[in-house]
Each structure stands twice: as structure tokens, then as C-alpha cells.
Amino acid sequence: MAPRRPESAGAFPIAVEQPAPQLPDPATLYAALDLGTNSCRMLIAQPKGSGFHVVDSFSKSVQLGQGLEATGRLSRTAMARTIGAIRICKQKLQRHNVTRMRLVATEACRRARNGALFLQQVRRETGLALEIIQPEEEARLAVISCAPLVSTRSEQLLVVDIGGGSTELVWIDLTSVPKRERPRAIMRLHAGFRQAPAPFPVAKVVDWISVPLGVATLRDQFEDVQDDAARFALMSWYFEENLAAFAPSAVQQSREGFQIIGTSGTVTTVAASHLGLKRYDRAKVDGLTMTSDQIDAVIRDYLTLGPEGRRMDPRIGKDRHELIMSGSAILQALMRLWPTDRLSVADRGLREGLLYAQMSADGVLEDTL
């Protein structure tokens, strides 16, 4: 067997095809599939303590939303690519005899005029039933996936999930929650942002927003701008304009007691670049804390490199070089509005949130966060 090619730091994760050496009891397994604008990702896992152990995974760049901005429809080519990826997911689910699963589609299928028809086609051809989830649930799942990264010192928390077709932001007030209870209070949000009165302290969701701009859709809107720096500035300004109704403002928020958690390929790639990684290492990236100044330095370096330099930079990866500047424009807008000394990098997101939500509902997680 040929050796596996090393994965560059910014690359989309290479699909994992190998089954676990010893197959676990199927009765203990859960699966989560996230079909987004750019990628199809799946995790199969079993509960372990307050978290879970990943048994198998899959991730592939399918570019389902390619051309969507111009036509309002999913293209036949993109749909065919995506169905091919979902067939691999089906094989993995059958291999592990998984029966408890949640399979969801997000912004591309929400926006496309033929999104629902496409999912009917997926069901006919693969037997898998995917559901389109609404922005609030997508935001909520991203939030609970990040619960283990919430600092006990955080009184105000902003969770940001930069996707391919949309970006979700959730502002959470933790001041009424005892410090040691804060990560656990975040996990309880799986039941909804508006919680009923409870005997224990709850995290208060101050505001949340789903902006219909992600790394792919923002890039597509400004692809006619030829100058690299001008295009970046316009993307960042335009994204900031779309946050006008989101509260609280930067004037109201000091750096003390304030944490941002960023979950996306953009944030993990920026982190890998900051660390100088030429090969991605999740153990070094997930949970890393960066300051606004460190993030700004990485983004300035990307601009200095230019399109060709970014394409060749192993920290970014050839799969992500076309998306990194639109993602960086979003990130820079956030740092401009809410400077922080603690942006926590999360190599986790919707899939992990789906797993946590299923396992929490079934009561199989230990309450040890």
C-alpha cells in the first residue's frame, strides 16, 4: 500500500477510509453528518465520560454551493459530487451497523430553489434521509460543541461559526453562572436558546444572528474585483455591515472577562499559520488561544503573500487557498468590532454538536464538564 500523503496544515481533512481495528458494539454508536456549502462531513462515535470517542470519520470537499450565488440552484455536477460522498458515508454507517444518527444539511440546501428536491434524490439514491436545519439550530449546535473550551473566567462569550454559506454568531452572558458551572451551562443550551426557569444557573443568550455570508458566498460576491487587497477590504467591510443589528457593540465590551470561540476551517488555518505548521496537528490547534494582534499579523502575512504565494503556502493548503481570504475578511471584521486577548480556536463544530445533543438527550454522558 502506498504511503499516505501528508496533509498540509490548511487542507480539508482527507477522508478516513479505514474501519477501527476492533469494531465496537453497534448499540453504543451514534453518527452525525453535516452537509454544508463546501464540505460533507461525518463522525461515528461512542460516548466516553462527558465526551465521546470517534470510531470513524469522513470529510470531503464537495463544493455543493458552487454556482449557487449566480443561479439560485444547486448544479447537476455539484449534486453528483455530493451524492458520491454521501454514498461513502452510507457504506461506513452500514459497516458499523449504526442505527442512531442525525444527518443534516445547512445553508446551501436552505437557499437553493432545488434544495429539497436534491435531498429527495439523495434519499432515493443512497437511502439516507437528510433534513434541512434552520439557522438557530445550527447556531445552537455549534455553541454546545464548544462547551469544553469555555473558560471558567469568561463572563461574556461570543461563539462564531464561519461556514461555507453562512456565519452564525451567538453572544452569551455567563455572569449569573458560578465559574465552575460555566461549561456545563453552555452544554444545557442543547435544549434551546430560550430556557425555562430551572433550579440551576443558566447561560443567558443575549443575542444571536445568522449572516447569509460564509467563505464561499462572500468570495463569490466579490470575485469580479481584481485587486487582491481591495477585494479583501471590501469583503471585510461588507460583512461588518451585515452585523449592524447584532448586539452588544464593541463600546459596551471590554477585553476583561470576554472570550471568543471560533469554529471553522478559517480559524483553524489561521491558527496553523500562526504556529508555523506545515502539517496539520489537531492536538496543537484545538483549544489554542490567540490574541487579536496575533490574528491580524497572520492576515497581513496572507495579504503580503498574494494569491500565488497563498496557493503555494503549505500552512494554508491548496484546497483552502481560494477561501482563506474571504474567511479572513470575516475574522478581521470580528476582531475589529470586538478585540480580545482570548480567541479560542475550536477544531469542532456542527457534527460534534449533533453528537453531544443526541447523547445528552439519551442521558449517556457523564455530567463532569
Side-chain angles (χ1 to χ4, degrees):
M1 181 181 293
R4 182 177 173 181
R5 178 172 58 84
E7 183 180 334
S8 59
F12 289 101
I14 296 171
V16 177
E17 297 293 346
Q18 305 93 329
Q22 184 175 354
L23 295 179
D25 179 1
T28 67
L29 296 180
Y30 292 77
L33 185 149
D34 166 21
L35 177 59
T37 303
N38 274 317
S39 302
C40 176
R41 303 183 178 97
M42 185 178 72
L43 288 178
I44 298 174
Q46 59 187 159
K48 184 177 182 181
S50 62
F52 50 79
H53 167 70
V54 175
V55 171
D56 207 345
S57 67
F58 177 81
S59 183
K60 186 175 179 61
S61 173
V62 294
Q63 299 179 65
L64 178 60
Q66 188 174 50
L68 175 60
E69 195 69 26
T71 66
R73 299 178 62 84
L74 304 175
S75 73
R76 290 185 179 180
T77 303
M79 290 190 292
R81 276 196 306 265
T82 303
I83 288 175
I86 294 174
R87 283 198 178 103
I88 298 175
C89 294
K90 174 64 178 293
Q91 291 167 5
K92 288 177 175 287
L93 292 168
Q94 289 179 324
R95 180 188 304 162
H96 295 284
N97 296 311
V98 183
T99 58
R100 286 174 293 193
M101 65 189 78
R102 185 112 189 264
L103 318 175
V104 306
T106 57
E107 185 68 10
C109 289
R110 281 198 296 260
R111 291 182 62 187
R113 291 196 296 272
N114 59 340
L117 288 174
F118 168 61
L119 295 188
Q120 291 175 18
Q121 181 182 351
V122 168
R123 186 164 191 170
R124 284 196 307 271
E125 297 191 22
T126 70
L128 295 182
L130 276 68
E131 59 177 308
I132 299 174
I133 60 172
Q134 294 307 306
E136 180 175 341
E137 184 173 11
E138 185 176 356
R140 190 169 72 242
L141 291 166
V143 166
I144 65 171
S145 76
C146 297
L149 300 181
V150 176
S151 169
T152 56
R153 294 179 294 143
S154 296
E155 296 186 345
Q156 302 292 326
L157 174 68
L158 176 61
V159 178
V160 181
D161 181 14
I162 305 172
S166 66
T167 299
E168 282 68 45
L169 295 88
V170 184
W171 194 290
I172 302 168
D173 183 348
L174 293 165
T175 52
S176 65
V177 181
K179 289 185 177 182
R180 293 183 62 183
E181 292 287 321
R182 286 171 183 174
R184 189 178 291 110
I186 295 297
M187 183 65 79
R188 292 193 186 107
L189 291 173
H190 78 85
F193 282 163
R194 290 167 292 279
Q195 298 191 54
F200 42 79
V202 298
K204 178 185 177 184
V205 175
V206 177
D207 199 3
W208 75 275
I209 189 173
S210 180
V211 181
L213 293 169
V215 294
T217 47
L218 187 59
R219 175 202 60 187
D220 291 350
Q221 287 203 21
F222 290 91
E223 63 183 352
D224 58 336
V225 180
Q226 297 301 311
D227 183 80
D228 189 51
R231 182 171 57 252
F232 174 79
L234 286 168
M235 289 190 296
S236 188
W237 168 82
Y238 184 63
F239 185 82
E240 183 178 335
E241 287 289 298
N242 279 267
L243 294 177
F246 185 68
S249 71
V251 176
Q252 298 170 288
Q253 182 55 50
S254 67
R255 291 192 182 200
E256 188 65 30
F258 175 53
Q259 180 185 10
I260 298 179
I261 299 180
T263 170
S264 72
T266 295
V267 179
T268 56
T269 300
V270 167
S273 296
H274 169 67
L275 295 172
L277 301 182
K278 293 185 178 179
R279 182 176 181 179
Y280 189 76
D281 185 343
R282 185 182 188 274
K284 293 180 179 178
V285 170
D286 186 51
L288 175 73
T289 299
M290 298 183 69
T291 67
S292 296
D293 293 339
Q294 289 170 333
I295 293 167
D296 191 52
V298 171
I299 294 174
R300 286 200 310 269
D301 183 41
Y302 288 164
L303 284 168
T304 301
L305 285 171
E308 184 60 22
R310 294 192 296 267
R311 189 179 71 83
M312 302 303 295
D313 192 326
R315 303 170 306 163
I316 299 172
K318 293 184 178 179
D319 290 334
R320 196 173 289 280
H321 74 95
E322 291 185 349
L323 300 170
I324 191 59
M325 293 318 293
S326 51
S328 294
I330 293 171
L331 194 53
Q332 188 193 64
L334 298 174
M335 295 298 96
R336 191 164 57 241
L337 288 169
W338 299 289
T340 181
D341 294 320
R342 290 184 315 169
L343 181 139
S344 298
V345 179
D347 185 353
R348 54 188 74 205
L350 189 55
R351 293 177 303 169
E352 289 82 0
L354 287 163
L355 288 172
Y356 276 130
Q358 290 178 83
M359 293 175 184
S360 294
D362 287 351
V364 295
L365 294 179
E366 294 178 10
D367 195 14
T368 57
L369 268 179

